[in-house]
Amino acid sequence: MAQKPSDTPLGEDVIHVTVPYPTAKLQSEGEVEGGHDVNQLEQGHATTADQFQYDIDKVERVYRKLDLRIIPAFWILYFLCSAIRSNIGIAQTMNRDVGHDLVTVLGMTAKDTSTALALFYVSYVIFDLPSNLVMSRLSPRAWMARIVFAVGLIGTCFTAVKAPWSVKFLRFLLGVVTAGMWPGMSYYLTLFYPPSRTGKRIGMYYTAAQLSAAVVGLVSAGFQKMDGLRGLTGFQWMFLVYGLLGVTLGISLLFWLPDRPLAPGETRKRNKYLRWLPTSPEALKGEDALIHYQDLRRAYHSRPWNMKDLWYVLIDWRLWPLVLMYFGVVGVGIGTQLHGSVIIASINPNFSGITVSLLFAPIWMMDFLAIVLVTPISDRFHKHRAVFFTMGTLIQIAGLLTTTFALSNPWARYGGLLMIGFGLGPTVPVCMAWTNEIFQKRHREVGVAAASALVSGLGNLGSITTTYALYTGWPEDAAKGPHQYRKSNYTMIGILAMSIASSIAMTVLLSIFGNEPSQKIVASSGSSATAVEEDILDGAALRERQQRGFGGMLGRKKN
């Protein structure tokens, strides 16, 4: 029996035992204490499609169990962290009628505001890749909990801001501690799901950001009613409550999230330096764990990466179209999130702060609706990610044109913002899922960790552009009048057009050059495996060769 090499994270020690390559036929549902019963596995190297044929209902059951364990935790953490990151936008208009908004209280100029908003993304871009690479080496559970705890702590500190410089400083620190969260979640999913199934899951927790934006707007109306209570303004109460909730959630994630899965026959041993951390139950047990191992062996036996592997990812041309795709849609998304309330107020200057808050929420409800409708279908047609991405981006462009030119009808202009929200919904999850698919197949685990961080990090240069250089950061364009923010809207249309061109270019180039596993990675592993054998690692890899389509979605089973 041959022993496969397994990745040993620095944050945990794993005792390895010799395990045969199992076929998909499971002998029982038993489990032994401290690990999975290896006697359930038949000996032999599974290399043919027949050996991976088992009941698809059991596979779906396993992934549903993982959904119940992972997705709610991700949803809540992303909801709170998004609220902490974006509530500075709504703080600019809270209690403005009595001079208790963030800008008036701190005496911030338009340039101060745009600089503070942009500094978050400067540090985020710098630290995104290092953070994700550390997560791939350490315990992903502990690293994610660290991120959320730190975000909550910095978010709480915003309560004490007294001058523009303190806002800028804390925004930079917030970017430092938040870095790695979004790509880390995407990487974490690939430890438990095949890439063709990640779009739906990313969409599931990405809805948290959209609902968070809506809730921040709605709940801010309540915080505005607390203005003056115990000497705090409404926006200070908002910073304090969200920050403390983030700190609490960061601690609870240590008990909630599972660590990376263990192969059958392996047991987990606590690292002596991390014994103070609480333990978390394994994600799956018994037959469920064995089925998951059969279906996703690539996640269990990934080879530890080195700097040469990372370099191969960095020089892969497939990375850059994805970065440009992400640049456009995330730039427009963050620009709308942080400046949406300002744009609504410019549509009708007579709107009160509470009215602006209430009108801000439906934009993200439309975003939520699009995610729920589109991302599950994009997984079922995972070979056509570019189509879903391009259609969503075109809807955003139509919304921006409506908001820009429907000057005679304020409600039509507001409808344009709703269109932007709907178009935004599926584009970011589809882009990240496509990144997972391309780079896990080509560069394995380090490919996902590095590529997702670079797409997220470098792509967020678009966020810097839309927060610092556009809207309130562009004084001439922010001048009062019917054409207020027109040039900023033109700029956002331009970067969205670039995203569409990049998705088309990626599709064409992949059809020409393909996306086979990197021969450099295969050669450096010291294995005699061919590229074809590297491609057929598990049952999921075989199924990914075909699209699921609508099979099973409407009651028709598809194995």
Side-chain angles (χ1 to χ4, degrees):
M1 296 186 292
Q3 183 175 358
K4 285 280 287 182
S6 181
D7 187 16
T8 305
L10 299 178
E12 54 181 306
D13 288 337
V14 178
I15 300 176
H16 301 287
V17 300
T18 301
V19 186
Y21 288 98
T23 66
K25 299 176 182 178
L26 304 173
Q27 304 302 312
S28 69
E29 298 185 8
E31 180 188 7
V32 297
E33 184 177 358
H36 312 301
D37 190 353
V38 182
N39 292 327
Q40 289 179 316
L41 306 175
E42 292 184 0
Q43 185 175 0
H45 192 295
T47 57
T48 66
D50 291 340
Q51 290 173 291
F52 287 103
Q53 291 180 358
Y54 44 81
D55 190 354
I56 193 65
D57 287 338
K58 289 187 176 182
V59 177
E60 296 291 345
R61 180 194 67 194
V62 167
Y63 288 121
R64 284 195 297 270
K65 286 187 176 181
L66 288 173
D67 288 344
L68 293 175
R69 178 71 183 276
I70 296 171
I71 302 304
F74 272 17
W75 197 95
I76 294 173
L77 79 85
Y78 200 54
F79 179 93
L80 274 176
C81 290
S82 296
I84 293 169
R85 180 192 67 201
S86 65
N87 57 19
I88 188 175
I90 200 71
Q92 297 175 62
T93 59
M94 291 176 63
N95 300 112
R96 185 170 57 183
D97 52 341
V98 294
H100 286 179
D101 58 288
L102 178 69
V103 174
T104 303
V105 170
L106 271 62
M108 297 179 70
T109 65
K111 185 60 68 174
D112 287 330
T113 302
S114 60
T115 301
L117 295 177
L119 279 173
F120 170 90
Y121 297 101
V122 172
S123 55
Y124 184 91
V125 168
I126 294 171
F127 292 99
D128 217 19
L129 176 59
S131 178
N132 223 35
L133 293 177
V134 170
M135 174 180 279
S136 71
R137 289 291 195 180
L138 298 179
S139 162
R141 168 184 68 107
W143 193 251
M144 188 61 68
R146 190 282 305 166
I147 290 174
V148 176
F149 179 87
V151 169
L153 186 63
I154 299 299
T156 304
C157 292
F158 273 90
T159 308
V161 293
K162 298 296 183 183
W165 73 264
S166 59
V167 178
K168 298 173 188 177
F169 177 68
L170 287 177
R171 284 288 294 180
F172 184 85
L173 286 184
L174 187 62
V176 172
V177 299
T178 305
M181 180 184 66
W182 172 250
M185 295 164 78
S186 182
Y187 160 75
Y188 185 97
L189 285 185
T190 62
L191 300 177
F192 296 93
Y193 302 92
S196 62
R197 291 177 178 262
T198 58
K200 173 184 175 181
R201 273 79 188 183
I202 293 172
M204 283 179 178
Y205 62 73
Y206 189 58
T207 60
Q210 282 46 64
L211 288 183
S212 174
V215 168
V216 166
L218 293 172
V219 175
S220 69
F223 285 122
Q224 290 179 76
K225 296 293 185 182
M226 298 172 64
D227 186 55
L229 181 64
R230 297 187 178 275
L232 298 178
T233 62
F235 70 80
Q236 286 178 305
W237 277 112
M238 179 176 65
F239 291 149
L240 179 63
V241 171
Y242 282 125
L244 291 177
L245 288 175
V247 169
T248 304
L249 178 62
I251 297 172
S252 68
L253 288 177
L254 290 171
F255 302 88
W256 191 346
L257 286 176
D259 252 317
R260 64 175 70 235
L262 292 177
E266 292 182 351
T267 56
R268 199 182 305 276
K269 182 182 179 181
R270 304 292 301 278
N271 183 287
K272 63 180 180 179
Y273 299 109
L274 297 176
R275 287 179 179 174
W276 58 275
L277 290 176
T279 59
S280 178
E282 297 297 334
L284 297 167
K285 297 180 179 180
E287 184 188 35
D288 290 338
L290 296 171
I291 292 173
H292 187 259
Y293 176 80
Q294 267 304 118
D295 203 54
L296 202 64
R297 278 215 313 262
R298 73 191 91 164
Y300 289 82
H301 297 299
S302 59
R303 178 178 61 83
W305 58 269
N306 54 43
M307 294 305 294
K308 184 181 291 186
D309 298 332
L310 178 60
W311 173 247
Y312 293 148
V313 176
L314 297 179
I315 62 174
D316 193 327
W317 62 263
R318 295 161 184 81
L319 182 66
W320 306 109
L322 292 165
V323 169
L324 294 177
M325 289 167 57
Y326 198 85
F327 181 99
V329 295
V330 81
V332 172
I334 296 301
T336 304
Q337 190 176 61
L338 294 178
H339 295 297
S341 59
V342 177
I343 297 172
I344 293 171
S346 72
I347 292 175
N348 188 339
N350 295 322
F351 285 154
S352 67
I354 292 179
T355 301
V356 169
S357 297
L358 295 176
L359 289 175
F360 186 65
I363 298 173
W364 307 107
M365 294 177 183
M366 293 295 291
D367 195 303
F368 173 85
L369 178 63
I371 292 171
V372 172
L373 292 176
V374 176
T375 55
I377 301 175
S378 73
D379 270 1
R380 291 178 171 273
F381 295 91
H382 64 274
K383 294 184 179 181
H384 300 294
R385 300 281 191 194
V387 174
F388 293 98
F389 179 88
T390 300
M391 293 303 296
T393 308
L394 287 172
I395 293 174
Q396 293 174 61
I397 291 175
L400 282 166
L401 290 172
T402 303
T403 301
T404 303
F405 292 107
L407 298 178
S408 61
N409 190 335
W411 291 110
R413 297 182 69 190
Y414 176 69
L417 291 176
L418 298 181
M419 293 172 65
I420 295 170
F422 189 87
L424 277 170
T427 51
V428 170
V430 166
C431 187
M432 294 302 292
W434 204 7
T435 302
N436 288 345
E437 285 185 82
I438 291 171
F439 280 88
Q440 188 187 70
K441 180 178 181 180
R442 186 159 176 81
H443 297 282
R444 307 186 201 172
E445 185 172 312
V446 68
V448 177
S452 60
L454 287 168
V455 169
S456 170
L458 296 178
N460 263 291
L461 292 173
S463 303
I464 297 175
T465 301
T466 56
T467 55
Y468 182 76
L470 303 185
Y471 297 102
T472 57
W474 192 344
E476 297 82 3
D477 195 40
K480 302 292 184 181
H483 301 306
Q484 188 178 21
Y485 304 135
R486 172 168 287 193
K487 294 180 181 178
S488 295
N489 291 343
Y490 287 162
T491 304
M492 295 226 285
I493 291 171
I495 64 175
L496 287 175
M498 178 189 67
S499 293
I500 292 175
S502 299
S503 69
I504 295 172
M506 175 66 103
T507 303
V508 173
L509 290 172
L510 286 176
S511 67
I512 297 172
F513 298 104
N515 190 51
E516 295 305 314
S518 173
Q519 292 295 331
K520 296 177 181 178
I521 295 287
V522 173
S524 65
S525 69
S527 170
S528 61
T530 65
V532 175
E533 290 171 335
E534 288 291 324
D535 190 24
I536 306 177
L537 288 172
D538 43 46
L542 290 170
R543 287 197 307 276
E544 286 174 339
R545 292 182 170 185
Q546 292 183 334
Q547 297 183 130
R548 284 182 289 162
F550 291 109
M553 199 174 187
L554 303 175
R556 303 188 305 275
K557 294 183 180 179
K558 185 173 181 178
N559 196 333

